[in-house]
Amino acid sequence: MTTVQSPPAPPTAIRPRVVARTGLYAVLAVNAAVVAYFFAQAGFASNALIVIGRFFGLYGALVMAFQLVLVARLPWLDRRIGMDRLTSWHRWTGFALLWTLLAHAVFISFGYADGAGVGPVGELVDLAETTEGVLRATVALGIIIVVGAVSARYARRRLAYETWHFIHLYTYVAVVLAFSHQVAVGTTFTASSAATAYWYAVWAVALGSVVLGRAVLPLWRNYRHQFRVSAVVPESDNVVSVHVTGRDLDKLGAQAGQFFLWRFLTKDRWWQANPFSLSAAPDGRTLRLTAKAAGDGSAALRHLKVGTRVFAEGPYGAFTTLHRQKTESLLIAGGVGVTPIRALLEDIEGHTVVIYRVGTDRDAVLHGELRDLAVAKGAELHLVTGPPVPDRLGPRELVQLVPDIADRDVFLCGPPPMMNAVLRTLGDLGVPKPQIHFERFSLAG
């Protein structure tokens, strides 16, 4: 089966990412307006602090629901926005949620304390003991605070992903507790049958999206396709390719540039999922990933046995030709970031220039395949070697290699320091942002 080529979008077409982003903003804005309407409809308490507290509580619930949608891994959103950007938005809305719920707790406590003539802490304790649902809300807030603390940049860098992920899963407990609190004591929730129906619908969509994207779709895909390891091929001393086969892979919908979360079902690694890009364009028969031994998970790939069952979540990512703006392209790879670039070169149409940045010739994994593909497709291939300093992909160097760089789509994948440097260079050269395509592996719980 031949690879399906993906032509660029017509110049007049609205970019898929713009459509998806605008759609998300519009949905959020409409729901914010609906919440404001039901809040006003429910009437206002005589104590202004309580009114403000309820206001923050309602919008905290809406932000929490929106957060769930962002990390639901819904294919339509993921292919247009990308998991890295959705995860980034999830992180920032998470901090907004934390401060919103804290404001809710503070204003409510001070408001009721003002009427009771006691301190806010004592009033909060009294509410938790005597009012249905308040204790559950207090526990939910405590969970959100802990998750927010471990998600801060300083703490996140010092925690193993599995530890951070396990703690992050408690967010779903907080969601259930917060919803039950809203049902029990939410004035706006019970103000009218329309408000009740609205909030049930909001939470049904949010939780349903998570169940669909994170459980139903992965389970269905793995049941349908029955992934197994078909070959393990060492590419160098510390790089290995794993070929995966299965049933009806032509109906999987994977595209060059995308990645999967791979879980190889061996007795010592079945619990660990690692994100690896496809290193060859999907052909409907097999999938291939290529990984460098950077940790225990990737190092163990070399010892996989043919026939090992695989649980693969995906395909994920917006690093595809769907977002092309121009008929000509520049592909820039650094190190093992060559894997999605190699797949894109196989899939992409139009004249293409490939720049492969490595420390030494020995580090140029898959260079032979790139060379053969470049010859077959009439593409230009430049292997750039040397230490990181001085910068060998600065403005002058890139213009020398690709004089018409501003008139090309640029696809970039590599180590974060290299990507950051190249992104600055592309900005200096005036390459329009819609023509710059990159994706960082960034997973949320």
Side-chain angles (χ1 to χ4, degrees):
M1 182 177 295
T2 58
T3 301
V4 177
Q5 300 289 326
S6 303
T12 56
I14 301 176
R15 291 188 294 138
R17 183 174 289 120
V18 172
V19 172
R21 184 180 299 169
T22 303
L24 273 180
Y25 291 162
V27 168
L28 186 58
V30 168
N31 279 274
V34 172
V35 169
Y37 170 76
F38 285 129
F39 174 71
Q41 186 188 54
F44 302 106
S46 58
N47 189 304
L49 294 177
I50 295 177
V51 173
I52 296 172
R54 289 174 177 171
F55 177 85
F56 278 114
L58 284 174
Y59 280 97
L62 183 61
V63 171
M64 186 178 286
F66 184 63
Q67 264 207 310
L68 293 177
V69 175
L70 291 178
V71 292
R73 298 179 187 170
L74 300 175
W76 191 87
L77 282 178
D78 182 80
R79 292 183 182 225
R80 286 158 178 80
I81 296 178
M83 188 185 292
D84 61 335
R85 289 172 176 83
L86 290 170
T87 300
S88 177
W89 296 352
H90 168 82
R91 180 174 181 271
W92 287 111
T93 55
F95 290 119
L97 173 65
L98 172 60
W99 291 111
T100 303
L101 294 184
L102 280 172
H104 169 65
V106 169
F107 280 105
I108 287 290
S109 299
F110 273 91
Y112 279 104
D114 182 58
V118 298
V121 175
E123 180 63 23
L124 180 61
V125 172
D126 184 61
L127 287 171
E129 291 177 347
T130 60
T131 305
E132 182 185 2
V134 175
L135 179 59
R136 294 194 291 269
T138 305
V139 174
L141 177 60
I143 293 173
I144 295 297
I145 292 173
V146 172
V147 172
V150 301
S151 297
R153 195 177 302 275
Y154 178 84
R156 179 69 184 88
R157 289 174 175 173
R158 285 158 178 77
L159 286 176
Y161 171 74
E162 287 78 15
T163 302
W164 173 85
H165 181 72
F166 179 77
I167 296 172
H168 211 79
L169 288 176
Y170 279 95
T171 303
Y172 297 110
V173 177
V175 168
V176 174
L177 292 174
F179 175 63
S180 65
H181 164 71
Q182 188 179 21
V183 171
V185 298
T187 304
T188 303
F189 187 89
T190 58
S192 68
S193 57
T196 302
Y198 167 77
W199 279 109
Y200 270 119
V202 166
W203 287 110
V205 170
L207 292 170
S209 296
V210 172
V211 172
L212 175 65
R214 304 291 290 267
V216 175
L217 282 178
L219 289 171
W220 164 247
R221 284 170 175 163
N222 281 272
Y223 172 77
R224 180 184 186 184
H225 298 295
Q226 299 289 311
F227 302 110
R228 289 184 181 274
V229 174
S230 58
V232 179
V233 181
E235 304 288 355
S236 69
D237 294 340
N238 61 349
V239 177
V240 62
S241 289
V242 178
H243 298 250
V244 176
T245 190
R247 300 186 313 199
D248 301 325
L249 294 189
D250 57 321
K251 297 180 175 62
L252 181 60
Q255 299 180 43
Q258 291 190 300
F259 68 96
F260 286 77
L261 300 180
W262 304 93
R263 195 184 302 268
F264 297 95
L265 304 184
T266 61
K267 63 180 181 180
D268 55 342
R269 289 294 165 192
W270 63 267
W271 51 271
Q272 189 174 44
N274 294 103
F276 295 120
S277 295
L278 297 174
S279 59
D283 61 5
R285 299 185 300 274
T286 61
L287 304 170
R288 187 183 77 169
L289 64 107
T290 302
K292 184 177 182 179
D296 292 341
S298 51
L301 296 180
R302 187 179 296 269
H303 306 293
L304 286 173
K305 304 297 184 183
V306 172
T308 298
R309 289 290 302 271
V310 182
F311 190 91
E313 297 178 51
Y316 296 129
F319 191 62
T320 68
T321 55
L322 175 66
H323 303 281
R324 288 182 65 191
Q325 299 291 297
K326 300 292 184 178
T327 57
E328 298 183 338
S329 304
L330 167 62
L331 311 181
I332 304 177
V336 78
V338 72
T339 55
I341 295 297
R342 185 257 181 244
L344 281 170
L345 178 59
E346 188 176 357
D347 179 63
I348 209 162
E349 289 184 325
H351 183 264
T352 305
V353 178
V354 183
I355 299 176
Y356 189 8
R357 177 73 170 93
V358 290
T360 66
D361 290 348
R362 292 184 59 188
D363 299 323
V365 182
L366 305 181
H367 181 251
E369 293 186 15
L370 283 176
R371 185 179 57 244
D372 294 343
L373 276 172
V375 171
K377 303 198 69 167
E380 298 178 32
L381 174 62
H382 302 280
L383 181 65
V384 179
T385 61
V389 179
D391 186 3
R392 298 174 188 273
L393 292 181
R396 183 178 63 181
E397 289 77 9
L398 278 183
V399 169
Q400 287 179 344
L401 293 173
V402 195
D404 60 346
I405 187 171
D407 295 321
R408 292 175 178 267
D409 279 290
V410 181
F411 291 84
L412 169 66
C413 188
M418 173 211 152
M419 289 180 62
N420 292 336
V422 173
L423 288 172
R424 288 193 297 270
T425 297
L426 294 175
D428 294 340
L429 293 175
V431 180
K433 286 186 178 180
Q435 293 170 215
I436 302 174
H437 315 283
F438 64 96
E439 196 161 27
R440 307 177 195 271
F441 289 134
S442 181
L443 307 180

